[in-house]
Structures are given as C-alpha cells and as structure tokens.
C-alpha cells in the first residue's frame, strides 16, 4: 500500500478534490502532461482541474482519477461501493436535524470506515483498542472528561510503548478521524482512539526518522492538548503541549510548529502566565510568511489565529487596549483571506468567539453577548466552535445576572453538542453556580442538567 502524505489526507478531509489531485500527482512524480496522457486528456486540462478552473464533480471522472492515481475513492469524497458522491468527507456518514438557530449534524461514529485505521493501529501496537459505543456510554453515565483524562493520562504518563511501526497512510487516516471526532465533540470515542494514535505514532517515530511521521505525532499531541484544556487543570496539558512542540520541531512544517507554539502559550495562559503567553504566540506569528500580494493562505490564517490567542491572553491580564489592538490585527488578517472563503469563514468565526471571550473576562457581559449574537451559528464551520460560542454566551448571561437565559443557552448548547457541554469544566462551574441561584423556579430541569454534566458530586 502506498504511503500518501498527511497533506493529501487533510485535503481529502476538507473535500478539496483539486488539492488531492495535485498532491497525488506530484507525490507520484508525474507531470500534468503525464497524468493527462494516462487519463486521455491534455496537460492543460489537468491544470484546469488542479486550479479549480474546471470543477471536479463528475463521479465517473473522480473514480477514474482515483484508479489511475492508485488512491482509494474515499479520497475524492466517494463511497467505496455506491454511485453517489459524499457531499464532503466531513459529512459522509451524517444526518442532520434542526435545533434552534442551527442545523446539527450527527455522525455515525463507529462506522467501519472510521474504525478501520484504528483497528489496524491496535493490531500493530498490540494495544487491544476498545472503541466505546457512544449511545451505550452515555446511557451508562460515563463522564467524558474523566475518561479523557484517564486515557490520555495513561499514554502521557505511561512507559515506552512497543509494537510494529504503522504506514504513514494509516496514521494520517487515523489523525483525520480523530480530528473529525474532536470537531463534532464526540469525546467518548476520541478518548480511546487518540491515545491509540499517539502510541502508534510514537512507535513508528522510534523506528524511522521521517518528518511526515513527526508531523502526525505533533498534530496528535496538539489535538490531545486541545482536549485537555477543556478539562480541569491536571498538568497533563503541559506534558502534551511540550511533546507536541518537540515533535513539531522535526516535522519540517511551519504551520504544525506554529500550532504547537500556540498551544504551549495557551497552557501557559491558563496557568496565569499571561505576558509570557502573548510573547510566545506573537513570536510564532513572526515566523510565518504573510508578505507580498499573494501570501500563503494557511500562513495567513494561522497568523490571525495566533493574534486571537494573544488577544485573549491580554484580556486575561486585564489589558483592554492591547487586547483590542490584537483583535483588530486578526480582523484585518481575515479580510486578506477573501480569496480563500473556507479559511476566511473559519477565522471570522474564531474572531467572534474570541471577541466574546475577551469581553467576558474584561467584565463586559453586554458587549460579549452582542458579539455572540452577531454571527449566525449556521455559518460557524464546526460543531465544537458553535458549542463553545453558546457556552461563552451562557457565561455572559450569568454574569449579567440573568440565570434563566444562561440556563436556556446551556440547553441550546447541549442540543447542539452534548459532548461539549458534558465535558467542559467551564460548564460544570457555571451549572454549580446556577444551582445556588435563588431563581431556580425559572430553570426547570436544572438538577437533571447538573447530573448530565457531572456537576453534582
């Protein structure tokens, strides 16, 4: 089986068929003319497909390209057995329903396609991976935060792992699935799958020096750090962030390194090192290529994200002016992404979320709520981001002494992403505060919510 790069699988994950085509061709060492000859077209036709001047939507064309390139058809958003293209690789196994202001999508988390890479990793590492059935786990009152802390603690604090190295394609596929689960707030399966991925990537990295393996390892630790930051501080987030940074330095990918530096700064900010967090994020931003008329879009998006993180650190330090300046810089960066609407939409959503958070910590609950309701939830790209915004809005309502609105917003967040609400430590603190409110009559069902989010001892 050919080992394709993580970049190719990431392009497949976001449904960028043109990038998949270009990356697969270049990784095979073929020119556009060579691929055109094999496909029965001119090199200029291939060029138009790769530059999106000619849409890649025809199912027969996509299947033929996959066959010629030796790619699985799933790389082009197709199913392996049917004749219908998936709308995108993010929504292949999803159904949607309307809740409040947004259509919520439900992924079938344990379908065979998602399980495949992890079962291969379990076989190679001898980890005996068990992937929980999410419905059963919720019914059994499993605490996703406790499960995440336990499983990630096992791999972060455990002894060196043994086993066979995994093909980079398997590792990349597993990373893609783990990212989907994080974005969808499916933290119960993630609690088992992410440690299995980290173990396999560590074993593979110990057997060979390969920047692609180091990149998967760094990005896996980055994902673990993002999950741990949602939980009560335990020290595990420091270990995870440090290991991500170490792997990223040998991964030869500036965006992976920048994200690792951002998360180290986030962990430092969480521990109260606000000035140091700003220094770390802005130092990382200085190494990105954003100059010229046509800057690299990925670098530009990361530059904006780093400034948002620095702005929140400034707000946590009580520096209103500095936070405002950094948010303004991030907003100007988002405007420069007009040619890349997907990245621009993601950065704008992140910008709004950070405006809410900054205003909240600076004591401006009304301003925070104005920002929270300035952007339709449906325009926010991921379930995780939508749920975070709703939780932040609930905190602002509570600070504005409107506990009933805070409670209603938490219920909306739970309908949008039960995994996020039942995992985040911030939600548990807020629900505990609401239980002490003298206006519980306006919050029917609050004790039941407290039970669901594990706020009751």
């Amino acid at each position: 089986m050919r080992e394709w790069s993580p970049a190719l699988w990431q392009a497949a994950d976001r449904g960028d068929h043109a990038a998949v085509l270009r990356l697969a061709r270049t990784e095979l060492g073929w020119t556009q003319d060579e691929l055109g000859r094999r496909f029965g077209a001119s090199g200029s036709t291939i060029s138009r497909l790769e530059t999106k001047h000619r849409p890649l939507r025809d199912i027969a064309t996509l299947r033929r390209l996959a066959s010629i390139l030796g790619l699985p058809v799933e790389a082009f958003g197709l199913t392996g057995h049917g004749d219908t293209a998936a709308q995108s690789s993010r929504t292949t196994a999803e159904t949607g329903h309307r809740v409040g202001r947004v259509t919520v999508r439900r992924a079938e988390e344990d379908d065979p396609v998602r399980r495949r890479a992890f079962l291969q990793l379990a076989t190679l590492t001898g980890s005996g991976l068990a992937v929980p059935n999410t419905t059963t786990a919720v019914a059994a009152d499993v605490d996703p935060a406790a499960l995440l802390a336990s499983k990630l603690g096992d791999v972060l604090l455990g002894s060196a792992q043994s086993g066979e190295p995994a093909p980079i394609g398997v590792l990349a596929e597993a990373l893609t699935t783990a990212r989907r689960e994080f974005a969808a707030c499916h933290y119960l399966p993630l609690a088992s799958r992410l440690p299995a991925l980290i173990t396999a990537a560590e074993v593979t990295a110990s057997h060979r020096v390969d920047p692609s393996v180091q990149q998967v390892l760094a990005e896996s630790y980055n994902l673990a750090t993002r999950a741990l930051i949602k939980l009560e501080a335990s020290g595990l987030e420091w270990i995870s962030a440090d290991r991500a940074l170490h792997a990223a330095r040998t991964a030869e990918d500036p965006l992976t390194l920048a994200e690792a530096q951002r998360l180290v700064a986030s962990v430092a900010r969480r521990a109260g090192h606000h000035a140091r967090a700003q220094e770390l994020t802005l130092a990382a931003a200085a190494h990105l290529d954003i100059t010229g008329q046509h800057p690299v879009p990925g670098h530009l998006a990361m530059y904006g994200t780093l400034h948002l993180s620095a702005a929140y650190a400034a707000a946590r330090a009580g520096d209103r002016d500095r936070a405002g300046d950094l948010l303004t810089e991030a907003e100007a960066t988002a405007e420069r992404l007009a040619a890349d609407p997907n990245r621009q939409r993601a950065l704008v959503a992140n910008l709004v979320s950070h405006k809410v958070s900054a205003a909240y910590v600076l004591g401006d609950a009304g301003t925070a709520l104005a920002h929270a309701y300035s952007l339709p939830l449906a325009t926010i790209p991921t379930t995780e981001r939508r749920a975070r915004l709703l939780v932040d809005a609930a905190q602002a309502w509570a600070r504005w002494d409107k506990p009933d609105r805070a409670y209603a917003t938490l219920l909306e967040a739970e309908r949008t992403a039960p995994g996020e609400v039942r995992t985040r430590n911030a939600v548990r603190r807020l629900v505990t505060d609401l239980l002490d409110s003298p206006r519980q009559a306006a919050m029917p069902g609050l004790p039941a919510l407290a039970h669901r989010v594990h706020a009751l001892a």
Side-chain angles (χ1 to χ4, degrees), residues 275-301:
R276 186 59 177 149
Q278 291 179 64
E279 292 172 9
L280 289 169
T281 49
L282 295 177
H287 288 90
L288 296 173
D289 182 9
I290 63 160
T291 59
Q293 290 186 334
H294 303 288
V296 180
H299 285 230
L300 204 55

Side-chain angles (χ1 to χ4, degrees), residues 347-363:
L347 184 56
V348 167
N350 205 4
L351 172 66
V352 171
S353 180
H354 279 77
K355 283 182 175 181
V356 174
S357 299
Y360 171 78
V361 301
L362 287 167

Side-chain angles (χ1 to χ4, degrees), residues 383-443:
T383 301
E384 190 261 347
R385 288 288 179 184
R386 290 192 288 269
R388 281 181 56 183
L389 186 63
L390 285 168
V391 170
D392 289 346
Q395 290 179 304
W397 281 120
R399 174 160 289 181
W400 212 8
D401 197 26
K402 297 183 183 296
D404 54 330
R405 296 296 299 271
Y407 173 63
T409 306
L410 278 180
L411 291 180
E412 184 179 0
E414 186 183 30
R415 290 191 295 268
T416 300
E420 181 74 7
V421 172
R422 298 170 189 177
T423 301
R424 275 188 66 182
N425 192 52
V427 172
R428 299 180 184 193
R429 291 197 306 266
L430 175 56
V431 171
T432 299
D433 291 341
L434 293 177
L435 287 169
D436 292 332
S437 170
R439 285 177 269 176
Q440 279 205 44
M443 297 178 279

Side-chain angles (χ1 to χ4, degrees), residues 299-355:
H299 285 230
L300 204 55
M302 179 58 73
Y303 181 86
T305 299
L306 289 165
H307 278 74
L308 292 176
S309 291
Y312 185 56
R316 294 289 299 181
D319 191 339
R320 186 183 304 272
D321 291 340
R322 181 62 170 157
D325 290 343
L326 291 165
L327 287 169
T328 299
E329 179 67 15
E331 191 163 13
T333 303
E335 292 175 0
R336 295 178 64 190
L337 280 167
D340 194 326
N342 288 335
R343 283 193 173 95
Q344 186 181 55
R345 184 167 60 251
L347 184 56
V348 167
N350 205 4
L351 172 66
V352 171
S353 180
H354 279 77
K355 283 182 175 181

Side-chain angles (χ1 to χ4, degrees), residues 70-96:
L71 283 168
V73 294
E74 288 83 359
F76 284 119
L78 305 173
T79 61
H81 53 275
D83 295 323
T84 304
Q87 290 182 353
S88 77
S89 59
R90 294 184 187 277
T91 59
T92 299
E94 295 179 348
T95 57

Side-chain angles (χ1 to χ4, degrees), residues 142-150 231-232 422-425 428 454:
V142 173
D143 181 348
L147 188 64
L148 273 169
S150 173
L231 315 182
E232 186 176 3
R422 298 170 189 177
T423 301
R424 275 188 66 182
N425 192 52
R428 299 180 184 193
H454 305 275

Side-chain angles (χ1 to χ4, degrees), residues 136-418:
T136 303
V138 170
D141 286 334
V142 173
D143 181 348
L147 188 64
L148 273 169
S150 173
K151 295 289 188 180
L152 288 172
D154 287 345
V155 73
L156 291 170
L157 300 173
S159 57
Q161 302 291 333
S162 61
E164 295 297 320
I168 185 62
V170 173
L171 292 173
E173 183 180 351
L175 175 61
T176 294
T177 296
R179 282 174 165 163
R180 284 177 182 153
E181 287 172 340
F182 181 89
C185 304
H186 293 151
Y187 300 129
L188 287 173
L190 185 69
S192 288
R193 290 173 175 167
L194 185 53
L197 171 58
I198 291 172
T199 297
E202 284 282 15
V203 169
T204 306
S206 71
H207 278 76
R208 65 174 184 264
V209 178
D210 184 342
S212 295
V213 174
Q214 292 293 328
Q215 184 174 348
V216 170
L217 182 60
E219 293 182 1
S220 300
Y221 277 126
N222 279 340
L223 196 59
T225 306
R226 292 178 66 189
L228 288 165
I229 286 174
K230 295 179 181 292
L231 315 182
E232 186 176 3
S234 66
L236 292 175
E237 62 273 20
W238 284 102
I239 299 172
S240 181
D242 181 68
R243 290 187 186 174
L245 188 59
H246 178 76
R249 284 173 173 154
T250 57
E252 300 179 2
D253 181 79
L255 294 181
T256 300
L257 178 58
E259 175 67 357
Q261 292 169 316
R262 185 185 76 82
L263 288 168
V264 167
S266 294
V267 172
R269 180 200 68 222
R270 196 172 189 234
H273 304 296
H274 303 131
R276 186 59 177 149
Q278 291 179 64
E279 292 172 9
L280 289 169
T281 49
L282 295 177
H287 288 90
L288 296 173
D289 182 9
I290 63 160
T291 59
Q293 290 186 334
H294 303 288
V296 180
H299 285 230
L300 204 55
M302 179 58 73
Y303 181 86
T305 299
L306 289 165
H307 278 74
L308 292 176
S309 291
Y312 185 56
R316 294 289 299 181
D319 191 339
R320 186 183 304 272
D321 291 340
R322 181 62 170 157
D325 290 343
L326 291 165
L327 287 169
T328 299
E329 179 67 15
E331 191 163 13
T333 303
E335 292 175 0
R336 295 178 64 190
L337 280 167
D340 194 326
N342 288 335
R343 283 193 173 95
Q344 186 181 55
R345 184 167 60 251
L347 184 56
V348 167
N350 205 4
L351 172 66
V352 171
S353 180
H354 279 77
K355 283 182 175 181
V356 174
S357 299
Y360 171 78
V361 301
L362 287 167
D364 298 334
T367 301
L369 288 166
H371 288 311
Y373 292 97
S374 69
L375 186 69
L377 283 182
T379 64
I380 299 176
T382 70
T383 301
E384 190 261 347
R385 288 288 179 184
R386 290 192 288 269
R388 281 181 56 183
L389 186 63
L390 285 168
V391 170
D392 289 346
Q395 290 179 304
W397 281 120
R399 174 160 289 181
W400 212 8
D401 197 26
K402 297 183 183 296
D404 54 330
R405 296 296 299 271
Y407 173 63
T409 306
L410 278 180
L411 291 180
E412 184 179 0
E414 186 183 30
R415 290 191 295 268
T416 300

Side-chain angles (χ1 to χ4, degrees), residues 93-108:
E94 295 179 348
T95 57
H97 63 281
R98 190 75 182 175
V99 175
R101 295 181 287 153
V102 63
T103 298
V104 180
R105 299 195 176 274
R106 176 180 55 80
E108 296 177 4

